Amino acid sequence: MKLPRIPNPLSILKGHKEKTPEELTPMRHSLAHLLAAAVMELYPDAKPTIGPAIDNGFYYDFDFNDTDRRGIDAELGRIESKMRGLLPSWSSFTSREISQDEARRLFETNPYKRELIDEIASKGENLPAGKAGITLYTSGQFTDLCRGGHVENPAKEIKPDSFRLSHIAGAYWRGDEKNKMLTRIYGLAFENKAALDKYIAMQEEAKKRDHKVLGPALGLFMFHETSPGMPYWLPNGMTVINNLVDFWRKEHKERGYLEIASPLINKKELWITSGHWDHYKDDMFIADMGENEIYGIKPMNCPNAMVVFGSQTRSYRDLPYRLSDTDILHRYERSGTLNGLLRARSFRQDDSHNFIAEDMIEAECKRILELTDRFYGIFGLEYHLKLSTRPDQFMGDVSTWDTAETALRKVLNEKVGAGKYGIKEKDGAFYGPKIDIHMTDALGREWQMGTIQLDFQQPKRFKLEYADKDGSRKTPVVIHRVLYGSIERFIAILIEHTAGNFPYWLAPVQVKVLPITDTQKKFAEEVFDKLQGSGLRAEIDTRAESLGKKIRDAKLEKIPYLIVIGEKEQKESKITLESRDKNGKGESMKVADLLNRLTKENHP
């Protein structure tokens, strides 16, 4: 059953093309200056440090005295009002260049600005002594050390109701925990009030859908302090994972994929051969067992797939040779980046490594993209593609990379058309360029999910070969690809995309039987037994509660179907079926018709 596309409840600007973060950067940067000016008028003892534009607005870091810092959280409204009061007088930004010595004198009481000035000098970014080398920007009565990038006339170009101060946070100076903790004031800023309101509404809706709240509430997963970033999957969550993987297995088996499993720990020599030891070691969990035995817990499956391919003599007749797996991987994500299932230290990938001849690249990529349509379509997820090109740190030679990038561009041109896909410069894997799959959820947020990576390098490093038609030995090309991506991350996004209302075939509990009184309990249990006997995931609620409470509780559990059995239903040997997704009167039907309907729907 295909999950229908969930309409975005936040289409406040329907038909209006919103500005991109890049287009809004000058305005947001200007507002960071305005924030600093307002703070300095209200708190003359504060020391301003730095304040950039960010994707949803701006922030500025300040060093307040102890008294001001303790009360600043309650003062955001006052600061915001001061910003609006100053805005009409900010008719322009003017710049001037000064020498390092003059800059040091100007900011002699601000050690943070002095440090920035000294850093510019140490990097040789200044002009010779005696000449201008530091840029100042002034608007209104406020002057700041800055390299530019503002709107020309803030008073005219910034609408007073297009920004809002949102919250404060602690932030170490320069992001170093050895430095002093500063107070960071965040602001939201968009092109107009409607866009700002839309963003705020979206954030409120996102809170309701937060997978870190809904997941534990629905009995899907939990975390524990003894294994940060590594989820415990609970019974309901395992049901979701197993159904996703079962669907994945069925679709891949039909397309000639062969499933494998491989060790989760390998000696470092494997990672040296693959190139991960040089390019990825800092993101791996490493186990030093002594006696010159160092192991790496695998962060990805590709080296193990190379070992499997190389374990036997291969022929051109074996190609494409598609090895798939869903092994658990571990990556040492830094604690500050962990975010529930979205960024975890342990996760599964619906991985595959497709070993092909070079002349098979386009056809194999096309097959993978057709499978992508299938996987994303059933969830109502829209996606678009981006090409990631050669990074600065790469393996192999440039000419081989150029060949690989040209092949992927040709695939994308045929799939979506030239110029209709994004380019992520220097964002390829260290062993090859890739096509990244980006999807948009019900809240309009973009996520990178699957990826298709073209690799000429690792097969060479593992000395992989196959016998070609003429008897010559050739090195295969490998396509690394995932569709769900991280299954954990996919489930997190699916929870938030659906607000926890999984499609019927995927829901941990698909149907709940609700007898109204104990008189109907026996018939209800007979219906329940038949549901389970048909392979459906059913529960029965025989609590001594009112029907209204039973229905409310079942809806909080996001159960797709409710079966109500009262005196009338028992007398007629029927049931009343209510749907989670439909409001209104339930449908009366015979039990046989119920089983037939629910069984037919129980597949993607």
Side-chain angles (χ1 to χ4, degrees):
M1 180 177 72
K2 179 178 177 180
L3 183 70
R5 173 66 180 164
I6 301 172
N8 189 333
L10 308 166
S11 53
I12 296 171
L13 297 182
K14 189 174 182 180
H16 175 77
K17 187 178 185 301
E18 298 176 31
K19 289 186 177 180
T20 65
E22 291 75 18
E23 292 171 324
L24 292 171
T25 294
M27 183 261 282
R28 290 168 171 168
H29 185 191
S30 303
L31 282 166
H33 281 253
L34 186 62
L35 168 60
V39 167
M40 295 309 297
E41 288 211 9
L42 296 172
Y43 304 93
D45 292 337
K47 292 180 174 60
T49 64
I50 55 174
I54 54 178
D55 277 351
N56 61 4
F58 57 95
Y59 70 78
Y60 210 111
D61 291 346
F62 300 92
D63 183 1
F64 290 102
N65 63 43
D66 290 343
T67 301
D68 291 341
R69 186 180 67 252
R70 282 193 291 269
I72 200 68
D73 197 15
E75 293 288 295
L76 290 186
R78 181 172 173 234
I79 298 170
E80 189 177 303
S81 295
K82 174 59 73 173
M83 291 174 67
R84 293 196 174 94
L86 293 174
L87 183 58
S89 66
W90 281 40
S91 58
S92 66
F93 270 97
T94 58
S95 66
R96 65 189 180 100
E97 291 186 346
I98 60 175
S99 67
Q100 294 171 29
D101 290 342
E102 186 179 352
R104 291 188 180 101
R105 288 193 298 271
L106 183 64
F107 293 101
E108 62 181 350
T109 62
N110 188 325
Y112 306 101
K113 299 292 186 183
R114 290 283 298 266
E115 182 178 323
L116 294 174
I117 293 165
D118 291 343
E119 186 175 280
I120 293 172
S122 68
K123 290 182 178 179
E125 295 177 1
N126 59 301
L127 296 175
K131 294 188 178 182
I134 305 295
T135 307
L136 303 178
Y137 276 83
T138 300
S139 194
Q141 301 300 311
F142 181 72
T143 298
D144 203 0
L145 183 69
C146 185
R147 291 182 176 179
H150 316 93
V151 296
E152 292 184 6
N153 188 330
K156 287 186 177 180
E157 297 181 57
I158 299 177
K159 297 177 174 60
D161 57 2
S162 67
F163 65 89
R164 178 182 300 179
L165 297 185
S166 58
H167 64 288
I168 69 168
Y172 292 109
W173 168 239
R174 310 306 290 274
D176 188 339
E177 61 185 16
K178 295 178 182 178
N179 291 333
K180 185 172 183 179
M181 176 72 77
L182 305 175
T183 301
R184 176 170 295 177
I185 301 178
Y186 282 96
L188 303 172
F190 292 84
E191 58 188 297
N192 51 39
K193 184 178 184 300
L196 175 64
D197 288 345
K198 177 181 177 180
Y199 178 83
I200 292 172
M202 184 181 293
Q203 294 305 107
E204 290 302 314
E205 183 68 19
K207 288 179 184 177
K208 299 175 188 176
R209 296 166 177 253
D210 188 348
H211 79 281
K212 296 187 293 295
V213 176
L214 283 177
L218 295 174
L220 299 173
F221 63 86
M222 58 172 274
F223 286 92
H224 192 268
E225 61 188 10
T226 56
S227 53
M230 301 182 189
Y232 282 70
W233 283 100
L234 305 177
N236 281 353
M238 284 307 302
T239 297
V240 174
I241 285 179
N242 288 337
N243 277 284
L244 283 173
V245 173
D246 285 347
F247 168 68
W248 173 86
R249 283 196 173 106
K250 175 179 176 293
E251 296 292 321
H252 283 73
K253 185 176 181 181
E254 290 175 358
R255 291 164 174 81
Y257 284 75
L258 304 171
E259 186 174 1
I260 61 171
S262 57
L264 300 185
I265 303 174
N266 295 96
K267 286 187 175 182
K268 77 171 186 179
E269 285 76 13
L270 178 76
W271 307 109
I272 290 172
T273 300
S274 68
H276 289 88
W277 200 257
D278 290 333
H279 295 270
Y280 208 81
K281 182 177 66 173
D282 291 343
D283 297 302
M284 294 173 62
F285 286 95
I286 306 297
D288 188 342
M289 307 306 295
E291 298 182 357
N292 295 318
E293 283 198 330
I294 299 176
Y295 290 80
I297 302 176
K298 71 176 179 181
M300 50 199 66
N301 294 302
C302 37
N304 300 91
M306 306 293 164
V307 169
V308 172
F309 184 92
S311 66
Q312 295 181 26
T313 301
R314 307 291 179 185
S315 160
Y316 72 93
R317 295 185 182 90
D318 298 320
L319 308 182
Y321 190 69
R322 307 178 180 104
L323 297 176
S324 62
D325 60 83
T326 55
D327 289 347
I328 295 177
L329 305 177
H330 292 80
R331 295 180 185 175
Y332 184 58
E333 303 285 0
R334 301 311 185 258
S335 58
T337 67
L338 298 176
N339 183 12
L341 300 181
L342 292 170
R343 199 169 186 96
R345 286 174 170 169
S346 68
F347 55 94
R348 298 159 178 81
Q349 276 192 172
D350 65 315
D351 229 335
S352 178
H353 294 86
N354 300 9
F355 295 82
I356 58 175
E358 189 170 341
D359 61 4
M360 296 177 176
I361 291 174
E362 294 172 37
E364 190 67 8
C365 287
K366 183 178 179 180
R367 291 189 189 97
I368 293 170
L369 289 171
E370 288 171 352
L371 191 54
T372 301
D373 289 337
R374 167 71 170 143
F375 270 66
Y376 285 70
I378 62 169
F379 295 104
L381 297 173
E382 299 174 356
Y383 75 88
H384 58 279
L385 305 173
K386 295 184 179 182
L387 174 66
S388 294
T389 62
R390 184 178 67 247
D392 290 330
Q393 301 297 321
F394 64 92
M395 291 195 311
D397 57 85
V398 172
S399 63
T400 303
W401 273 83
D402 289 343
T403 298
E405 287 184 12
T406 298
L408 292 187
R409 286 180 191 275
K410 188 173 181 181
V411 169
L412 286 168
N413 288 342
E414 183 177 338
K415 174 68 176 176
V416 298
K420 294 183 179 180
Y421 53 87
I423 303 291
K424 297 164 69 178
E425 297 290 353
K426 299 184 178 183
D427 199 46
F430 65 85
Y431 47 75
K434 55 195 176 95
I435 296 173
D436 289 325
I437 303 168
H438 290 250
M439 55 77 68
T440 304
D441 69 8
L443 296 180
R445 300 171 301 183
E446 181 177 303
W447 306 92
Q448 181 181 326
M449 304 299 294
T451 185
I452 303 168
Q453 304 176 350
L454 186 56
D455 182 5
F456 284 75
Q457 310 302 330
Q458 286 197 59
K460 293 180 181 177
R461 294 175 70 95
F462 279 91
K463 297 181 173 58
L464 302 184
E465 292 182 336
Y466 66 93
D468 205 359
K469 294 178 182 179
D470 60 4
S472 63
R473 308 298 299 178
K474 290 190 176 179
T475 301
V477 178
V478 175
I479 296 177
H480 309 237
R481 48 112 291 196
V482 292
L483 300 181
Y484 291 134
S486 156
I487 294 178
E488 276 74 0
R489 189 180 197 198
F490 185 86
I491 291 174
I493 292 169
L494 195 59
I495 291 171
E496 298 186 1
H497 178 67
T498 65
N501 295 300
F502 290 116
Y504 167 71
W505 67 272
L506 190 60
V509 179
Q510 296 172 302
V511 57
K512 179 168 279 193
V513 182
L514 308 177
I516 295 179
T517 70
D518 284 347
T519 306
Q520 294 88 44
K521 183 178 178 181
K522 182 178 180 181
F523 179 50
E525 288 176 342
E526 290 174 2
V527 173
F528 170 69
D529 289 340
K530 289 179 180 179
L531 290 166
Q532 285 199 313
S534 298
L536 301 174
R537 297 185 293 279
E539 289 184 352
I540 185 170
D541 187 347
T542 57
R543 295 177 299 164
E545 299 284 357
S546 68
L547 178 62
K549 171 146 178 68
K550 290 180 179 181
I551 290 175
R552 285 193 298 273
D553 289 348
K555 288 189 174 181
L556 286 175
E557 294 169 11
K558 314 285 186 177
I559 296 173
Y561 285 117
L562 306 179
I563 293 174
V564 177
I565 298 177
E567 183 178 351
K568 180 175 181 291
E569 286 82 5
Q570 179 175 254
K571 183 177 180 180
E572 297 177 356
S573 294
K574 291 184 176 181
I575 60 90
T576 296
L577 182 68
E578 294 192 8
S579 171
R580 172 194 65 192
D581 303 319
K582 295 180 181 178
N583 293 319
K585 190 175 181 180
E587 300 177 63
S588 177
M589 63 181 69
K590 295 179 179 179
V591 175
D593 294 334
L594 168 74
L595 296 174
N596 184 54
R597 173 173 168 174
L598 296 187
T599 302
K600 281 184 177 179
E601 290 185 12
N602 195 23
H603 59 82

